[in-house]
Amino acid sequence: MNAIRYTIVPKNAAAHLFEVSLTVAAPDRSGQRFMLPVWIPGSYMIREFARNIVTLQAFNAAGRKIAVEKTDKHAWATAPHDGPITLRYEVYGWDMSVRAAHLDEDIGFFNGSSVFLAVEGQADAPCVVDIQKPAGAQFAKWRVATALPEARGTKRYGFGKYEAPNYDALIDHPVTLGEFALGSFDAHGAQHDIVISGRVSALDMRRLEVDLKRVCEAQIALFEPRTKKAPVARYVFMTVAVADGYGGLEHRASTALICNRADLPVTGRPDMTEGYRTYLGLCSHEYFHTWNVKRIKPAAFAPYDLSQENYTSLLWLFEGFTSYYDDLMLVRSGVINVTEYFALLGKTIGGVLRGSGRLKQTVAESSFDAWVKYYRQDENAANAIVSYYQKGSLIALAFDLSIRTQTAGKKSLDDVMRLLWQRYGRDFYDGKARGIEESEVEALFAEATGADLKKIFRDGVHGTRDLPLEALLEPFGITLAADIATNGTSGKPSLGARVRNGADCVLAAVHENSAAQKAGLSAGDVLVAIDGLRVTGSNLDTLLSRYLPGAKVEIHAFRRDELRVTQAKLDAPEVSRYVLSIADKRGASKPHRERWLNG
Ligand code: ZN
């Protein structure tokens, strides 16, 4: 099969335009169709990237124009034509996220799903992409970072030709262009690169290399305890550091991340900050996806249909379990300690138990509806939906603890992950691709562990009953308690509403059956006074700390431009986190606990 040849050049950084061309040697003679994905795998929302294609033209081998027309929101078709066709188009890139494309004078970044049109009928054709250097002296030091393999003649990190065996691979390797800091480490024989772009001073790259190596090696050893074989020969962590950002997207041999520059480690300051822990957790999360969702996949994603929503009820397994293991791998690899790990767990438990949406939607339903609910949250989200990330990670915890207790420590959730890997993941890109069906999951868990997990499946995955975490933690010598005293306003009553950041006290969300809701307040309302005292975006907690739960207060608030006066009876303090404590430090539960936390 002839290769499809793409070129991409950052044409006009000031206008944020990439110029892309693609040549099909043997197109469909009755008219060739081209399409751009409407979503990017890993981010379950229709984004319609084709809206950023500004101009598009088609040419024959002699450079003469061929008629081409748009056939729907994301597809084009040429007139019937015999012989090679070249498309030339411009893509607007002004999205500083990990999901699309971005170009300015400092950085270029793109996912293939935003810039490379697919040639209908030739998804299996090999692809060659020529990544060209932008013209101009200011770009002289720009380099290329991607996990795409270089074609012969192209130097690593250089501009030039890169290769992919098919379209699916082409768009699964994001590309960073620009001047970036570069680190590298070996994890069980595989090269791992760290690419940091954005303005970051005094970056402690050495520390990043040391910490990420530990995390990566722990994950490789989890899936391949005997061979310690990494899932890829080379892996790239690419991060853009900004003032305020957080997110990541997983790919088969790399991840694109965005973080706060303040979260990155500073040379000469070896302490573990909350920000750095968050960043390492994000790296750990995306790396775990190299196995769980990029190779072990739900049947609905094998293959992806990039023209519409792909429905699966299993995101609790692919995102939730990944969320469980991201922090667990930090503690198991020694990058954080047990106290820090328990604090993260306590925060997740608080986060899940705070929203009443958990009593209405199961994680399986939340997975299925991710496209219109989890990814499109509004002010009512906490009252209507449950996060398949957060609750999914607690389900993983419940499975893990239950399996360990039932089998006296002989089996664990790790055995489930390994069986998933052996059966569905290891050979995924070797042409033996098959995803796991929803109906196969429960039996696989039983096969891997021999444990009886029916109740967790029934109540936790397909039900809305809260997980019995206190009872599950007990055999590990760990107690669980609500924490209402850590934010310095112990016992402070609550309105049961979330306030937006800003100068005014604007309600961002109102919890169901809360004092605020009973008083008739809604998201969007601007509170101006409580008992005649002015309330702002920053002093609500201070004002409320003068009252006891159950006290009645008078609230003045604007809805649109209309002033309302209402009475609220204050709620009990809100529980935002839970505290996990080791009750029995030296007792019989110690080895059980250490096997879990040390791996
Ligand atoms: Zn994820």
Side-chain angles (χ1 to χ4, degrees), residues 478-498:
I478 298 167
T479 58
L480 185 65
D483 176 18
I484 46 176
T486 52
N487 52 6
T489 48
S490 166
K492 169 186 74 69
S494 158
L495 267 179
R498 208 157 45 74

Side-chain angles (χ1 to χ4, degrees), residues 88-346:
R88 206 164 291 148
Y89 54 97
E90 283 180 325
V91 182
Y92 179 67
W94 185 242
D95 180 346
M96 197 53 131
S97 79
V98 295
R99 299 177 296 256
H102 183 90
L103 177 65
D104 63 26
E105 292 83 351
D106 295 319
I107 184 174
F109 173 83
F110 62 84
N111 287 286
S113 43
S114 277
V115 296
F116 298 136
L117 285 170
V119 179
E120 196 174 275
Q122 300 196 25
D124 294 330
C127 301
V128 179
V129 52
D130 186 358
I131 304 173
Q132 297 182 0
K133 195 169 190 170
Q138 83 231 62
F139 304 109
K141 288 191 192 154
W142 274 34
R143 293 191 287 179
V144 177
T146 178
L148 269 177
E150 303 84 8
R152 208 174 335 158
T154 301
K155 288 201 191 102
R156 181 144 300 170
Y157 317 118
F159 286 90
K161 293 195 172 84
Y162 289 79
E163 294 173 331
N166 51 45
Y167 183 77
D168 179 52
L170 175 71
I171 63 166
D172 202 12
H173 297 284
V175 177
T176 296
L177 309 171
E179 292 177 45
F180 44 75
L182 183 61
S184 190
F185 62 90
D186 169 287
H188 288 312
Q191 187 189 331
H192 290 65
D193 284 348
I194 305 170
V195 173
I196 310 272
S197 27
R199 298 184 194 178
V200 185
S201 54
L203 173 67
D204 191 347
M205 182 63 90
R206 183 71 199 125
R207 185 173 176 197
L208 269 180
E209 290 168 342
V210 169
D211 288 344
L212 284 178
K213 178 184 170 80
R214 286 161 81 171
V215 175
C216 294
E217 290 194 336
Q219 295 196 18
I220 294 167
L222 184 152
F223 283 99
E224 295 286 2
R226 203 173 48 80
T227 63
K228 307 271 198 305
K229 189 175 184 297
V232 282
R234 177 176 172 239
Y235 187 90
V236 183
F237 288 96
M238 50 177 82
T239 300
V240 52
V242 295
D244 184 21
Y246 174 83
L249 202 55
E250 66 275 12
H251 299 280
R252 70 185 64 181
S254 59
T255 176
L257 309 161
I258 185 161
C259 78
N260 296 337
R261 62 172 64 86
D263 293 350
L264 293 169
V266 182
T267 304
R269 279 196 215 134
D271 50 315
M272 175 57 76
T273 62
E274 195 183 330
Y276 185 45
R277 193 163 54 232
T278 302
Y279 177 72
L280 288 174
L282 181 62
C283 292
S284 177
H285 180 96
E286 304 307 342
Y287 193 68
F288 197 84
H289 274 314
T290 315
W291 293 269
N292 195 32
V293 95
K294 292 314 303 187
R295 286 171 178 78
I296 307 162
K297 295 193 191 209
F301 294 173
Y304 298 117
D305 177 350
L306 296 171
S307 69
Q308 60 181 359
E309 294 87 346
N310 290 191
Y311 295 103
T312 172
S313 301
L314 291 177
L315 295 181
W316 59 270
L317 170 56
F318 292 96
E319 288 300 347
F321 279 36
T322 302
S323 296
Y324 172 61
Y325 276 104
D326 59 21
D327 289 336
L328 185 62
M329 296 320 286
L330 296 187
V331 69
R332 280 202 189 156
S333 61
V335 167
I336 64 171
N337 61 36
V338 170
T339 309
E340 291 169 314
Y341 178 63
F342 282 180
L344 293 168
L345 214 46

Side-chain angles (χ1 to χ4, degrees), residues 74-89:
H74 64 283
W76 290 256
T78 62
H81 175 75
D82 208 358
I85 292 176
T86 296
L87 289 191
R88 206 164 291 148
Y89 54 97

Side-chain angles (χ1 to χ4, degrees), residues 55 113 507:
T55 60
S113 43
L507 300 186

